Amino acid sequence: MLLSARNTKPWRSLPPFFALFRCLRRAELKFSTSSSSAKTSLYLHEVYDDFLPWLEQKAGAEISSVLSIGKSAYGRSLYASKPIQTGDCILKVPYSVQLAPENLLPAINYFLGDGVGNVAKLAIVILVEQKLGQDSEWAPYVSRLPQPEEMHSTVFWSHDELEMIRPSFLYQETIKQKAQIEKEFLANRPALRYFSNVLGDVTLKEFRHAYGLVTSRAWHSTQGVSMIPFADFLNHDGISEADVLSDEGKKHSEVIADRNYAPGDQVLIRYGKFSNATLLLDFGFTLPYNIYDQVQVELSIPHHDQLRAMKLELLRRHCTPTIKDVNGFSSSENMFTIKKVRSANGKGRGIPLSLRAFARVLCSTSAAELDDLAMEAAQNDGRLARYPLKNRSREILAHQFLLSRITEFIEKYSACIEVMIHES
């Protein structure tokens, strides 16, 4: 979808921390989840016989001969209507029947100016088509997009619902996303008001709904971002290798099956290698066993630390540069991403290099220790924590510190979950 397509034994205490999002009471009320085992038993047939013919007529080409639209326990879905083999092209949607920023009315686009991003522009395209109602040439598609009450991403949660995830990094990202949406709404409001004869009086709620439709359903494309009718009925499977691909030569988007499907099987793709936090923020669901799950750990050097200035300078000169993670979440220099615990057979990412470096610096108690760290970094490739410390006791101390902080975070989340269980 839109966002491209994100040890030692004591770290086994991490799973409850990773499981926070699926333990929330909200999971029982709103979360929808895609499953690779969805079969005919979940196939609650709903008739959409007019949609695909309309889209194919508009495109002047066949979209799919092997898929049909139905409804599963997870919402609108696509099912195999015929046997599908691995490697089959199961749908092709021409660019001409995709909604993109270039569909924006030229007059509105002119008044918006150059500073407006593609997501906001496409949101306004959706708003225009919604306001036109049945007069819109896109009415059969726009009318099937989720309504506000069907949007479950965290930007649509109430204040009380957001309080349930306040201890998490997702809470901060949700507040940031809501602020960004409001900022873009206020920036575009003069242009929207200028075209009130077409749009009426657009509210923040309506703009947020359209913006959420784009962030949850659009794919990156040469046009910036695109809403792809029919393809966006496909549900997410975290272990699928299928994706929506663009063929610039043939000017269409397509999906290639990554497995065999029998008639009646739900056909699934992967939106991206996303953690549960990203899935919940942008799509409104989580996966119970997400192989791409991750957690954000924030540490800081106390202001009362007499060596604080030296430690900050050492980290600035020698620490691993901060990198934006695969899910698009931004991070500061003291925010670290743990993606997978290293298992006994050596598989997994282990403790991030930057986190180990920060812990070593944080646990240093003298200027001499900091000088030793700097010298050791200079003797290697210039980075802290590139190799285990020669002083084994200091290395153990740093890991014990990290373990204590992770345990503290887990206990904090566990207490939060207990409160929610008692309140439900």
Side-chain angles (χ1 to χ4, degrees):
M1 288 276 179
L2 177 59
L3 293 177
S4 48
R6 217 203 320 218
N7 285 335
T8 54
K9 290 184 179 179
W11 287 83
R12 290 177 181 170
S13 59
L14 274 175
F17 193 70
F18 277 74
L20 169 67
F21 302 115
R22 68 174 183 269
C23 293
L24 297 175
R25 178 181 63 185
R26 189 68 179 178
E28 298 178 358
L29 301 176
K30 293 180 78 169
F31 291 0
S32 60
T33 306
S34 297
S35 169
S36 59
S37 63
K39 292 289 185 180
T40 307
S41 61
L42 297 176
Y43 186 42
L44 309 176
H45 184 66
E46 185 175 348
V47 178
Y48 294 105
D49 289 342
D50 60 333
F51 183 78
L52 189 55
W54 163 80
L55 187 62
E56 291 181 331
Q57 181 180 16
K58 186 175 180 62
E62 182 180 76
I63 302 295
S64 177
S65 62
V66 297
L67 298 175
S68 61
I69 306 171
K71 189 173 183 180
S72 71
Y74 313 116
R76 293 185 184 92
S77 312
L78 293 185
Y79 290 85
S81 55
K82 299 178 181 178
I84 295 173
Q85 302 297 315
T86 302
D88 288 351
C89 182
I90 57 178
L91 65 82
K92 297 177 182 178
V93 184
Y95 290 171
S96 61
V97 289
Q98 299 181 22
L99 278 175
E102 66 180 27
N103 292 94
L104 192 60
L105 294 174
I108 297 180
N109 191 42
Y110 174 80
F111 274 89
L112 290 177
D114 297 330
V116 181
N118 283 323
V119 174
K121 284 185 177 181
L122 186 48
I124 295 172
V125 171
I126 298 297
L127 282 170
V128 170
E129 302 305 329
Q130 287 175 331
K131 294 292 184 178
L132 289 174
Q134 291 305 309
D135 293 330
S136 168
E137 64 172 304
W138 296 93
Y141 173 61
V142 173
S143 64
R144 284 178 169 84
L145 293 173
Q147 297 301 305
E149 62 273 12
E150 299 175 291
M151 303 289 285
H152 303 318
S153 56
T154 52
V155 295
F156 296 99
W157 288 18
S158 68
H159 173 77
D160 288 343
E161 290 165 347
L162 284 176
E163 283 299 307
M164 294 191 296
I165 59 170
R166 177 178 280 275
S168 72
F169 185 65
L170 175 59
Y171 176 86
Q172 302 169 34
E173 288 298 318
T174 301
I175 298 303
K176 187 186 302 182
Q177 178 82 316
K178 291 182 70 173
Q180 178 62 27
I181 294 173
E182 184 171 0
K183 179 181 177 181
E184 297 210 39
F185 170 71
L186 294 175
N188 296 320
R189 198 172 190 180
L192 298 177
R193 283 179 169 174
Y194 190 84
F195 293 92
S196 59
N197 59 320
V198 176
L199 294 169
D201 185 18
V202 178
T203 65
L204 173 60
K205 182 179 179 180
E206 291 173 324
F207 184 79
R208 183 186 296 118
H209 173 226
Y211 200 97
L213 288 172
V214 176
T215 56
S216 63
R217 307 182 76 80
W219 277 267
H220 280 299
S221 71
T222 55
Q223 305 173 84
V225 290
S226 297
M227 302 276 281
I228 308 179
F230 193 69
D232 60 8
F233 289 141
L234 288 162
N235 282 329
H236 171 73
D237 177 11
I239 62 174
S240 173
E241 294 297 327
D243 194 3
V244 177
L245 306 173
S246 295
D247 188 323
E248 295 299 327
K250 297 180 180 179
K251 301 297 181 183
H252 69 224
S253 298
E254 63 184 25
V255 175
I256 307 299
D258 70 326
R259 67 190 77 169
N260 297 337
Y261 290 97
D265 287 349
Q266 184 180 171
V267 178
L268 302 161
I269 64 171
R270 184 177 66 198
Y271 295 169
K273 297 179 180 180
F274 298 142
S275 68
N276 275 349
T278 296
L279 290 175
L280 192 50
L281 175 68
D282 289 311
F283 306 104
F285 65 84
T286 61
L287 296 175
Y289 301 102
N290 187 349
I291 62 174
Y292 301 109
D293 211 359
Q294 64 182 39
V295 66
Q296 297 286 338
V297 176
E298 185 174 11
L299 301 176
S300 60
I301 299 175
H303 285 275
H304 60 74
D305 190 331
Q306 295 182 352
L307 298 172
R308 188 171 189 272
M310 287 186 63
K311 291 179 179 181
L312 290 175
E313 176 60 20
L314 180 61
L315 289 168
R316 185 190 68 79
R317 286 189 286 113
H318 293 289
C319 198
T320 304
T322 301
I323 300 175
K324 197 171 185 179
D325 70 48
V326 69
N327 298 318
F329 279 0
S330 59
S331 62
S332 59
E333 292 181 353
N334 61 338
M335 187 75 73
F336 307 92
T337 300
I338 298 179
K339 294 186 178 181
K340 188 175 182 180
V341 178
R342 180 164 292 169
S343 61
N345 60 8
K347 294 182 179 180
R349 300 182 64 91
I351 305 172
L353 182 67
S354 56
L355 179 56
R356 292 205 307 271
F358 198 98
R360 291 175 182 179
V361 172
L362 188 60
C363 292
S364 296
T365 58
S366 69
E369 288 183 3
L370 295 175
D371 289 339
D372 288 344
L373 290 176
M375 184 179 301
E376 201 163 326
Q379 291 173 350
N380 295 306
D381 61 357
R383 290 184 293 174
L384 293 169
R386 188 67 179 86
Y387 299 102
L389 282 177
K390 295 176 182 178
N391 188 324
R392 185 178 177 84
S393 62
R394 286 172 58 193
E395 180 79 334
I396 292 174
L397 179 64
H399 279 75
Q400 287 177 334
F401 165 77
L402 288 178
L403 179 58
S404 67
R405 291 307 305 271
I406 293 296
T407 301
E408 180 183 328
F409 293 147
I410 293 172
E411 290 174 349
K412 184 178 180 181
Y413 281 149
S414 297
C416 181
I417 292 170
E418 284 296 322
V419 170
M420 289 186 292
I421 292 175
H422 290 305
E423 289 180 351
S424 61

